[in-house]
Amino acid sequence: MQTADDFIEHLALEQHVEGGYYRSSYRSETSFDSTRALWSSIYFLLRTDEVSHFHRLTADEMWYFQAGQSLTIYMIDPEGVLTTAQLGLDLAAGERPQFLVPKGCIFGSALNHAGFSLVGCMVSPGFTFDDFELFSQESLLEQYPQHSEIIQRLSRKQTEV
């Protein structure tokens, strides 16, 4: 049975600023515009007690479950509504093997059970860090106090960002 460390080592994953580990796996050779590929894809891995901190992209992001434990994707839409999606293979429990996070949502993720989760994420147009915004706990609590419990879990204090 493969472990999180096996995937980190063999896929040459690096720590991600949003939490967890990642590595670019593909960038389209076709251009979207002068700065971005048409699409790009990464491996992304979370381990027990790690989360993907709340962030926002300017492009849609499709998530694909690949190995390990299921996870929950938490999304705050532009109107401030919090929704969740279960990414995994237990279809009877409401999990799905892929899910689209719409552009403009503030989102993060966390494991549903101890272990690890390896997912793939595809972004179109292709990802650049110019399209990425990481949120502090303070800024989110000010905007969305009704979601304080999940914001405290999936964000860092401003001094940690």
Side-chain angles (χ1 to χ4, degrees):
M1 180 174 187
Q2 294 180 311
T3 67
D5 290 339
D6 292 333
F7 285 110
I8 291 168
E9 178 184 346
H10 294 288
L11 297 175
L13 304 181
E14 303 172 11
Q15 288 190 316
H16 197 300
V17 66
E18 80 188 48
Y21 293 82
Y22 84 108
R23 181 164 194 251
S24 176
S25 58
Y26 189 80
R27 291 191 77 72
S28 170
E29 293 181 14
T30 303
S31 295
F32 175 78
D33 61 23
S34 62
T35 61
R36 294 178 291 186
L38 183 59
W39 64 277
S40 62
S41 186
I42 65 167
Y43 294 114
F44 184 71
L45 183 139
L46 290 175
R47 299 180 297 187
T48 301
D49 297 326
E50 294 176 338
V51 299
S52 166
H53 292 95
F54 275 124
H55 61 289
R56 178 169 48 204
L57 299 178
T58 60
D60 292 338
E61 183 170 52
M62 182 65 81
W63 285 53
Y64 302 93
F65 181 80
Q66 295 181 328
Q69 299 297 322
S70 62
L71 57 77
T72 300
I73 303 170
Y74 298 86
M75 297 159 285
I76 302 173
D77 72 17
E79 289 77 41
V81 176
L82 175 68
T83 58
T84 62
Q86 303 301 311
L87 194 68
L89 299 178
D90 188 347
L91 304 180
E95 296 174 3
R96 296 292 176 255
Q98 66 183 43
F99 183 81
L100 179 76
V101 176
K103 67 181 177 183
C105 279
I106 296 169
F107 68 103
S109 62
L111 291 171
N112 292 336
H113 307 284
F116 73 92
S117 183
L118 176 68
V119 302
C121 299
M122 193 276 295
V123 177
S124 180
F127 178 83
T128 72
F129 273 100
D130 291 338
D131 300 325
F132 174 88
E133 181 180 8
L134 186 64
F135 290 88
S136 70
Q137 193 173 96
E138 293 85 354
S139 68
L140 290 175
L141 287 172
E142 185 177 311
Q143 293 177 66
Y144 310 107
Q146 70 273 30
H147 306 310
S148 62
E149 185 177 326
I150 195 61
I151 287 171
Q152 290 175 10
R153 182 172 175 216
L154 296 186
S155 61
R156 298 180 187 122
K157 293 184 179 178
Q158 194 156 4
T159 57
E160 301 170 326
V161 173

